[in-house]
Coordinates of all heavy atoms in Angstrom, one line a residue:
M177 N -4.5 -9.2 11.0 CA -4.5 -8.1 10.2 C -4.2 -6.8 11.0 O -4.4 -6.8 12.2 CB -5.9 -7.9 9.6 CG -6.2 -8.6 8.3 SD -5.2 -8.1 6.9 CE -5.6 -9.5 5.9
S178 N -3.8 -5.8 10.3 CA -3.4 -4.6 11.0 C -4.7 -3.7 11.2 O -5.8 -4.0 10.7 CB -2.5 -3.8 10.1 OG -3.1 -3.3 9.0
E179 N -4.5 -2.7 12.0 CA -5.6 -1.8 12.2 C -5.7 -0.9 11.0 O -4.8 -0.8 10.1 CB -5.3 -1.0 13.5 CG -3.9 -0.3 13.4 CD -3.5 0.3 14.8 OE1 -3.2 -0.6 15.7 OE2 -3.5 1.5 14.9
N180 N -6.8 -0.1 10.9 CA -7.0 0.8 9.8 C -6.1 2.0 9.9 O -5.6 2.4 11.0 CB -8.4 1.3 9.9 CG -9.4 0.2 9.6 OD1 -9.1 -0.9 9.2 ND2 -10.7 0.5 9.9
R181 N -5.8 2.6 8.8 CA -4.9 3.8 8.8 C -5.7 4.9 7.9 O -6.5 4.6 7.1 CB -3.6 3.5 8.1 CG -2.8 2.4 8.8 CD -2.3 2.9 10.1 NE -1.5 1.9 10.8 CZ -0.2 1.8 10.7 NH1 0.5 2.7 10.1 NH2 0.4 0.8 11.4
V182 N -5.3 6.1 8.2 CA -5.9 7.2 7.4 C -5.0 7.5 6.2 O -3.8 7.7 6.3 CB -6.0 8.5 8.2 CG1 -6.4 9.7 7.4 CG2 -6.9 8.3 9.4
V183 N -5.6 7.4 5.0 CA -4.8 7.7 3.8 C -5.7 8.7 3.0 O -6.8 8.4 2.6 CB -4.6 6.4 2.9 CG1 -4.0 6.7 1.6 CG2 -3.8 5.4 3.7
Q184 N -5.1 9.8 2.7 CA -5.7 10.9 2.0 C -7.1 11.2 2.5 O -8.1 11.4 1.8 CB -5.8 10.5 0.5 CG -4.4 10.5 -0.2 CD -4.6 10.2 -1.7 OE1 -4.6 9.1 -2.1 NE2 -4.6 11.3 -2.5
G185 N -7.2 11.3 3.9 CA -8.4 11.8 4.5 C -9.4 10.7 4.8 O -10.5 11.0 5.3
R186 N -9.2 9.5 4.4 CA -10.2 8.4 4.7 C -9.5 7.2 5.3 O -8.4 6.9 5.1 CB -10.9 8.1 3.4 CG -10.1 7.5 2.3 CD -10.9 7.3 1.0 NE -10.1 6.8 0.0 CZ -9.5 7.4 -0.9 NH1 -9.6 8.8 -0.9 NH2 -8.8 6.8 -1.9
M187 N -10.3 6.5 6.2 CA -9.8 5.3 6.8 C -9.7 4.2 5.8 O -10.7 3.9 5.1 CB -10.7 4.9 8.0 CG -10.7 5.9 9.1 SD -9.1 6.0 9.9 CE -9.0 4.5 10.9
V188 N -8.6 3.4 5.8 CA -8.5 2.3 4.9 C -8.0 1.1 5.6 O -7.2 1.2 6.6 CB -7.6 2.6 3.7 CG1 -8.1 3.7 2.8 CG2 -6.2 2.8 4.1
T189 N -8.4 -0.1 5.2 CA -7.9 -1.4 5.7 C -6.7 -1.7 4.9 O -6.4 -1.1 3.8 CB -9.0 -2.5 5.6 OG1 -9.2 -2.6 4.2 CG2 -10.2 -2.1 6.3
A190 N -6.0 -2.8 5.2 CA -4.9 -3.3 4.5 C -5.3 -3.7 3.1 O -4.6 -3.4 2.1 CB -4.2 -4.4 5.2
T191 N -6.5 -4.3 2.9 CA -7.0 -4.7 1.6 C -7.3 -3.4 0.8 O -6.9 -3.4 -0.4 CB -8.3 -5.5 1.8 OG1 -8.0 -6.7 2.6 CG2 -8.9 -5.9 0.4
K192 N -7.9 -2.4 1.3 CA -8.2 -1.2 0.6 C -6.9 -0.5 0.2 O -6.8 0.0 -1.0 CB -9.1 -0.3 1.4 CG -9.5 1.0 0.7 CD -10.3 0.7 -0.6 CE -10.7 1.9 -1.3 NZ -11.3 1.7 -2.6
L193 N -5.9 -0.5 1.0 CA -4.6 0.2 0.7 C -4.0 -0.6 -0.5 O -3.5 0.1 -1.4 CB -3.7 0.2 1.9 CG -2.3 0.8 1.7 CD1 -2.4 2.2 1.3 CD2 -1.5 0.6 2.9
A194 N -4.0 -1.9 -0.5 CA -3.4 -2.7 -1.6 C -4.2 -2.4 -2.9 O -3.6 -2.3 -3.9 CB -3.5 -4.2 -1.2
E195 N -5.5 -2.3 -2.8 CA -6.4 -2.0 -4.0 C -6.1 -0.6 -4.5 O -6.1 -0.4 -5.7 CB -7.8 -2.2 -3.6 CG -8.2 -3.6 -3.4 CD -9.6 -3.8 -2.9 OE1 -10.3 -2.9 -2.5 OE2 -10.1 -5.0 -2.9
L196 N -5.8 0.4 -3.6 CA -5.5 1.7 -4.1 C -4.1 1.7 -4.8 O -4.0 2.4 -5.9 CB -5.3 2.7 -2.9 CG -6.6 3.1 -2.2 CD1 -6.3 3.9 -0.9 CD2 -7.4 4.0 -3.2
I197 N -3.2 0.9 -4.3 CA -1.9 0.8 -5.0 C -2.0 0.1 -6.3 O -1.5 0.5 -7.3 CB -0.9 0.1 -4.1 CG1 -0.6 1.0 -2.8 CG2 0.4 -0.2 -4.8 CD1 0.1 0.2 -1.7
E198 N -2.7 -1.0 -6.3 CA -2.8 -1.9 -7.5 C -3.8 -1.4 -8.5 O -3.6 -1.6 -9.7 CB -3.3 -3.3 -7.0 CG -3.2 -4.4 -8.1 CD -1.8 -4.7 -8.5 OE1 -0.8 -4.4 -7.9 OE2 -1.8 -5.3 -9.6
G199 N -4.8 -0.6 -8.1 CA -5.8 -0.1 -9.0 C -6.8 -1.2 -9.4 O -7.6 -1.0 -10.3
D200 N -6.8 -2.3 -8.6 CA -7.8 -3.4 -8.9 C -7.9 -4.2 -7.6 O -7.1 -4.0 -6.6 CB -7.2 -4.3 -10.0 CG -8.3 -5.1 -10.7 OD1 -9.4 -5.1 -10.3 OD2 -7.9 -5.8 -11.7
S201 N -8.8 -5.2 -7.6 CA -8.9 -6.0 -6.4 C -7.7 -6.9 -6.2 O -7.0 -7.2 -7.2 CB -10.2 -6.8 -6.5 OG -10.2 -7.7 -7.6
V202 N -7.5 -7.3 -5.0 CA -6.4 -8.2 -4.7 C -6.9 -9.5 -4.0 O -8.0 -9.4 -3.4 CB -5.3 -7.5 -3.8 CG1 -4.7 -6.4 -4.6 CG2 -5.8 -7.1 -2.5
M203 N -6.1 -10.5 -4.0 CA -6.5 -11.8 -3.4 C -6.3 -11.9 -1.9 O -7.1 -12.3 -1.1 CB -5.8 -13.0 -4.1 CG -6.1 -13.1 -5.5 SD -5.3 -14.5 -6.3 CE -6.0 -15.9 -5.4
E204 N -5.1 -11.5 -1.5 CA -4.7 -11.6 -0.1 C -3.7 -10.5 0.3 O -2.9 -10.1 -0.5 CB -4.0 -13.0 0.1 CG -3.8 -13.4 1.6 CD -3.3 -14.8 1.7 OE1 -3.8 -15.7 1.0 OE2 -2.5 -15.0 2.6
V205 N -3.8 -10.1 1.6 CA -2.9 -9.0 2.0 C -2.2 -9.3 3.3 O -2.8 -10.1 4.1 CB -3.6 -7.6 2.1 CG1 -4.2 -7.2 0.8 CG2 -4.7 -7.7 3.1
D206 N -1.1 -8.7 3.5 CA -0.4 -8.7 4.8 C -0.8 -7.4 5.6 O -1.6 -6.6 5.0 CB 1.1 -8.7 4.7 CG 1.7 -10.0 4.2 OD1 1.0 -11.0 4.3 OD2 2.8 -10.0 3.7
S207 N -0.3 -7.2 6.7 CA -0.7 -6.0 7.5 C 0.0 -4.8 7.0 O 1.1 -4.8 6.3 CB -0.4 -6.2 9.0 OG 1.0 -6.4 9.1
I208 N -0.6 -3.6 7.3 CA 0.0 -2.3 6.9 C 1.2 -2.0 7.8 O 1.1 -2.3 9.0 CB -1.0 -1.2 7.0 CG1 -2.2 -1.4 6.1 CG2 -0.4 0.2 6.8 CD1 -3.3 -0.4 6.3
E209 N 2.3 -1.5 7.3 CA 3.4 -1.1 8.1 C 3.9 0.3 7.7 O 3.6 0.7 6.6 CB 4.6 -2.1 7.8 CG 4.3 -3.5 8.3 CD 5.4 -4.5 8.0 OE1 6.5 -4.0 7.6 OE2 5.3 -5.7 8.2
E210 N 4.5 0.9 8.7 CA 5.1 2.2 8.4 C 6.4 2.0 7.6 O 7.3 1.2 8.0 CB 5.5 2.9 9.7 CG 4.4 3.3 10.6 CD 3.6 4.5 10.1 OE1 4.1 5.3 9.5 OE2 2.4 4.5 10.4
A211 N 6.5 2.7 6.4 CA 7.8 2.6 5.7 C 8.8 3.6 6.3 O 8.4 4.6 6.9 CB 7.5 3.0 4.2
E212 N 10.0 3.3 6.2 CA 11.0 4.2 6.8 C 11.5 5.1 5.7 O 12.7 5.3 5.5 CB 12.2 3.3 7.3 CG 11.7 2.4 8.5 CD 12.8 1.6 9.1 OE1 14.0 1.9 8.8 OE2 12.4 0.7 9.8
E213 N 10.6 5.8 5.1 CA 11.0 6.8 4.1 C 9.8 7.8 4.0 O 8.7 7.6 4.4 CB 11.2 6.1 2.7 CG 9.9 5.4 2.2 CD 10.2 4.7 0.9 OE1 10.7 3.5 1.0 OE2 9.9 5.2 -0.2
D214 N 10.2 9.0 3.4 CA 9.2 10.0 3.1 C 8.8 10.0 1.7 O 9.5 9.5 0.8 CB 9.8 11.4 3.5 CG 10.1 11.6 5.0 OD1 9.3 11.0 5.8 OD2 11.0 12.3 5.3
C215 N 7.6 10.5 1.4 CA 7.1 10.5 0.0 C 8.0 11.4 -0.8 O 8.4 12.5 -0.5 CB 5.7 11.1 0.0 SG 5.0 11.3 -1.7
P216 N 8.4 10.9 -2.0 CA 9.3 11.7 -2.9 C 8.6 12.9 -3.5 O 9.2 13.8 -4.0 CB 9.8 10.7 -4.0 CG 8.7 9.6 -3.9 CD 8.2 9.6 -2.5
E217 N 7.3 12.9 -3.5 CA 6.5 14.0 -4.1 C 6.1 15.1 -3.2 O 6.2 16.2 -3.5 CB 5.3 13.4 -4.8 CG 5.6 12.7 -6.1 CD 4.4 12.3 -6.9 OE1 3.2 12.7 -6.6 OE2 4.5 11.5 -7.8
C218 N 5.7 14.7 -2.0 CA 5.2 15.7 -1.0 C 5.9 15.7 0.3 O 5.6 16.6 1.1 CB 3.7 15.6 -0.8 SG 3.2 14.2 0.2
G219 N 6.7 14.7 0.6 CA 7.4 14.6 1.9 C 6.6 14.0 3.0 O 7.0 13.9 4.1
G220 N 5.4 13.5 2.6 CA 4.4 12.9 3.6 C 4.9 11.6 4.1 O 5.8 11.0 3.6
N221 N 4.1 11.0 5.0 CA 4.4 9.7 5.6 C 4.0 8.6 4.6 O 3.0 8.7 3.9 CB 3.6 9.5 6.9 CG 4.0 8.3 7.6 OD1 5.2 7.9 7.7 ND2 3.0 7.6 8.1
V222 N 4.8 7.6 4.4 CA 4.6 6.5 3.5 C 4.3 5.2 4.3 O 5.0 4.9 5.2 CB 5.8 6.3 2.5 CG1 5.6 5.1 1.7 CG2 6.0 7.5 1.7
L223 N 3.3 4.5 3.8 CA 2.9 3.1 4.4 C 3.3 2.1 3.3 O 3.3 2.4 2.1 CB 1.4 3.1 4.6 CG 0.8 4.1 5.6 CD1 -0.7 4.0 5.6 CD2 1.4 3.9 7.0
N224 N 3.5 0.9 3.8 CA 3.7 -0.2 2.8 C 2.9 -1.4 3.3 O 2.5 -1.6 4.4 CB 5.2 -0.6 2.7 CG 5.8 -1.3 3.9 OD1 5.5 -1.0 5.0 ND2 6.6 -2.3 3.6
V225 N 2.5 -2.2 2.2 CA 1.7 -3.4 2.5 C 2.1 -4.5 1.4 O 2.4 -4.1 0.3 CB 0.2 -3.1 2.4 CG1 -0.2 -2.6 1.0 CG2 -0.7 -4.3 2.8
G226 N 2.2 -5.7 1.8 CA 2.4 -6.8 0.9 C 1.1 -7.4 0.5 O 0.2 -7.6 1.4
Y227 N 1.0 -7.8 -0.7 CA -0.3 -8.4 -1.2 C -0.1 -9.3 -2.4 O 0.9 -9.2 -3.1 CB -1.3 -7.3 -1.5 CG -0.9 -6.3 -2.6 CD1 -1.2 -6.5 -3.9 CD2 -0.1 -5.2 -2.3 CE1 -0.8 -5.7 -4.9 CE2 0.3 -4.3 -3.3 CZ -0.1 -4.6 -4.6 OH 0.3 -3.7 -5.6
M228 N -1.1 -10.1 -2.6 CA -1.1 -11.0 -3.8 C -2.2 -10.5 -4.8 O -3.4 -10.7 -4.5 CB -1.4 -12.4 -3.4 CG -0.2 -13.0 -2.6 SD -0.6 -14.8 -2.1 CE -0.5 -15.6 -3.7
P229 N -1.8 -9.9 -5.9 CA -2.8 -9.6 -6.9 C -3.3 -10.8 -7.7 O -4.4 -10.7 -8.3 CB -2.1 -8.6 -7.8 CG -0.6 -8.9 -7.6 CD -0.5 -9.4 -6.2
S230 N -2.5 -11.8 -7.7 CA -2.9 -13.1 -8.4 C -2.3 -14.2 -7.6 O -1.5 -14.0 -6.7 CB -2.4 -13.1 -9.8 OG -1.0 -13.1 -9.9
I231 N -2.7 -15.4 -8.0 CA -2.2 -16.6 -7.3 C -0.7 -16.8 -7.5 O -0.1 -17.5 -6.6 CB -3.0 -17.9 -7.8 CG1 -2.8 -19.1 -6.9 CG2 -2.6 -18.2 -9.2 CD1 -3.6 -19.1 -5.8
T232 N -0.1 -16.3 -8.5 CA 1.3 -16.5 -8.7 C 2.2 -15.3 -8.4 O 3.4 -15.4 -8.8 CB 1.5 -16.9 -10.2 OG1 1.1 -15.8 -11.0 CG2 0.8 -18.1 -10.6
E233 N 1.7 -14.3 -7.8 CA 2.5 -13.1 -7.6 C 2.4 -12.5 -6.2 O 1.3 -12.4 -5.7 CB 2.1 -12.0 -8.7 CG 3.0 -10.8 -8.7 CD 2.6 -9.8 -9.7 OE1 1.4 -9.8 -10.2 OE2 3.4 -9.0 -10.1
F234 N 3.5 -12.1 -5.6 CA 3.5 -11.4 -4.3 C 4.1 -10.1 -4.6 O 5.3 -10.0 -5.1 CB 4.2 -12.1 -3.2 CG 4.1 -11.4 -1.9 CD1 3.0 -11.6 -1.1 CD2 5.1 -10.6 -1.5 CE1 2.9 -10.9 0.1 CE2 5.0 -9.9 -0.3 CZ 3.9 -10.0 0.5
V235 N 3.5 -9.0 -4.2 CA 4.0 -7.6 -4.5 C 4.0 -6.8 -3.1 O 3.2 -7.0 -2.3 CB 3.0 -6.9 -5.4 CG1 3.4 -5.4 -5.6 CG2 3.0 -7.6 -6.8
T236 N 5.1 -6.0 -3.0 CA 5.1 -5.0 -1.9 C 4.8 -3.7 -2.5 O 5.4 -3.3 -3.5 CB 6.5 -5.0 -1.2 OG1 6.7 -6.3 -0.7 CG2 6.5 -4.0 -0.1
G237 N 3.9 -3.0 -2.0 CA 3.5 -1.7 -2.5 C 3.7 -0.6 -1.4 O 3.5 -0.9 -0.2
W238 N 4.0 0.6 -1.8 CA 4.1 1.8 -1.0 C 3.1 2.8 -1.4 O 2.9 3.0 -2.6 CB 5.5 2.3 -1.1 CG 6.6 1.4 -0.5 CD1 7.1 1.4 0.7 CD2 7.3 0.4 -1.3 NE1 8.0 0.4 0.8 CE2 8.2 -0.3 -0.4 CE3 7.2 -0.1 -2.6 CZ2 9.0 -1.3 -0.8 CZ3 8.0 -1.1 -3.0 CH2 8.9 -1.7 -2.1
K239 N 2.5 3.5 -0.4 CA 1.5 4.5 -0.7 C 1.7 5.7 0.3 O 1.8 5.5 1.5 CB 0.1 4.0 -0.6 CG -1.0 4.9 -0.7 CD -1.3 5.4 -2.1 CE -2.4 6.3 -2.2 NZ -2.1 7.7 -2.1
C240 N 1.7 6.9 -0.2 CA 1.8 8.1 0.6 C 0.4 8.3 1.3 O -0.6 8.1 0.7 CB 2.1 9.3 -0.2 SG 2.2 10.9 0.7
Q241 N 0.4 8.7 2.6 CA -0.8 9.0 3.3 C -1.4 10.3 2.9 O -2.6 10.5 3.1 CB -0.6 9.0 4.8 CG -0.3 7.6 5.3 CD -0.2 7.6 6.8 OE1 0.8 7.8 7.4 NE2 -1.4 7.4 7.5
D242 N -0.7 11.2 2.2 CA -1.1 12.5 2.0 C -1.4 12.9 0.5 O -2.2 13.8 0.2 CB -0.1 13.6 2.5 CG 0.1 13.4 4.0 OD1 -0.9 13.1 4.7 OD2 1.3 13.5 4.4
C243 N -0.8 12.2 -0.4 CA -1.0 12.5 -1.9 C -1.2 11.2 -2.7 O -1.3 10.1 -2.1 CB 0.2 13.3 -2.4 SG 1.7 12.3 -2.7
D244 N -1.3 11.3 -4.0 CA -1.6 10.2 -4.9 C -0.4 9.2 -5.1 O -0.6 8.2 -5.7 CB -2.1 10.7 -6.2 CG -3.5 11.3 -6.1 OD1 -4.3 10.9 -5.2 OD2 -3.8 12.1 -6.9
W245 N 0.8 9.6 -4.7 CA 2.0 8.8 -5.0 C 1.9 7.4 -4.5 O 1.5 7.1 -3.3 CB 3.2 9.5 -4.4 CG 4.5 8.7 -4.7 CD1 5.2 8.7 -5.8 CD2 5.1 7.7 -3.8 NE1 6.3 7.8 -5.7 CE2 6.2 7.2 -4.5 CE3 4.8 7.2 -2.6 CZ2 7.0 6.2 -4.0 CZ3 5.6 6.2 -2.1 CH2 6.7 5.7 -2.7
S246 N 2.2 6.4 -5.3 CA 2.4 5.0 -4.9 C 3.4 4.3 -5.8 O 3.7 4.8 -6.9 CB 1.0 4.3 -4.9 OG 0.5 4.2 -6.3
E247 N 3.9 3.2 -5.3 CA 4.9 2.5 -6.1 C 4.9 1.0 -5.7 O 4.5 0.7 -4.5 CB 6.3 3.1 -5.8 CG 7.4 2.5 -6.5 CD 8.7 3.3 -6.3 OE1 9.4 3.0 -5.3 OE2 9.0 4.2 -7.0
T248 N 5.3 0.1 -6.5 CA 5.5 -1.3 -6.2 C 6.9 -1.8 -6.4 O 7.7 -1.1 -7.1 CB 4.5 -2.2 -7.0 OG1 4.9 -2.2 -8.4 CG2 3.0 -1.7 -6.8
D249 N 7.2 -3.0 -6.0 CA 8.5 -3.6 -6.2 C 8.6 -4.4 -7.5 O 9.5 -5.1 -7.7 CB 9.0 -4.4 -5.0 CG 8.1 -5.6 -4.7 OD1 7.1 -5.8 -5.4 OD2 8.4 -6.4 -3.8
R250 N 7.6 -4.2 -8.4 CA 7.7 -5.0 -9.6 C 8.8 -4.4 -10.5 O 9.1 -3.2 -10.4 CB 6.4 -4.7 -10.4 CG 5.2 -5.5 -9.9 CD 4.1 -5.4 -10.9 NE 2.9 -6.2 -10.5 CZ 1.9 -5.7 -9.9 NH1 1.8 -4.4 -9.6 NH2 0.9 -6.4 -9.5
D251 N 9.4 -5.3 -11.3 CA 10.5 -4.9 -12.2 C 10.0 -4.0 -13.3 O 9.0 -4.0 -13.8 CB 11.2 -6.1 -12.8 CG 12.0 -6.9 -11.7 OD1 12.3 -6.2 -10.7 OD2 12.2 -8.1 -11.9

């Protein structure tokens, strides 16, 4: 697992980051990575994490470290 990161002023694990993006608990997560993009809302740093919200789905989510913006690769 990855190390903790600061998101909106608090330390989060990869699991907590995925839960912030998903808005619910998740089953399994990959490590947190730096996304190679800036936040479209505030220009802040964006992190990404892969996770499984259910047994049949794998999602990649992106979350700004500075504001509420988040997005997933769902269609």
Side-chain angles (χ1 to χ4, degrees):
M177 275 293 167
S178 71
E179 55 192 71
N180 295 344
R181 302 292 179 97
V182 176
V183 175
Q184 294 183 275
R186 60 186 182 266
M187 293 295 284
V188 298
T189 62
T191 300
K192 182 61 180 171
L193 179 61
E195 289 172 349
L196 287 171
I197 296 167
E198 189 65 19
D200 202 356
S201 61
V202 297
M203 296 180 66
E204 191 171 321
V205 297
D206 288 341
S207 60
I208 298 172
E209 297 179 7
E210 297 283 333
E212 295 182 14
E213 61 185 83
D214 294 328
C215 175
E217 289 188 8
C218 74
N221 190 41
V222 174
L223 301 173
N224 72 321
V225 65
Y227 60 93
M228 292 181 69
S230 68
I231 192 85
T232 60
E233 184 178 26
F234 183 84
V235 175
T236 299
W238 293 268
K239 172 78 177 90
C240 178
Q241 287 185 272
D242 300 322
C243 74
D244 289 334
W245 179 85
S246 66
E247 183 175 88
T248 67
D249 64 354
R250 285 188 178 100
D251 292 334

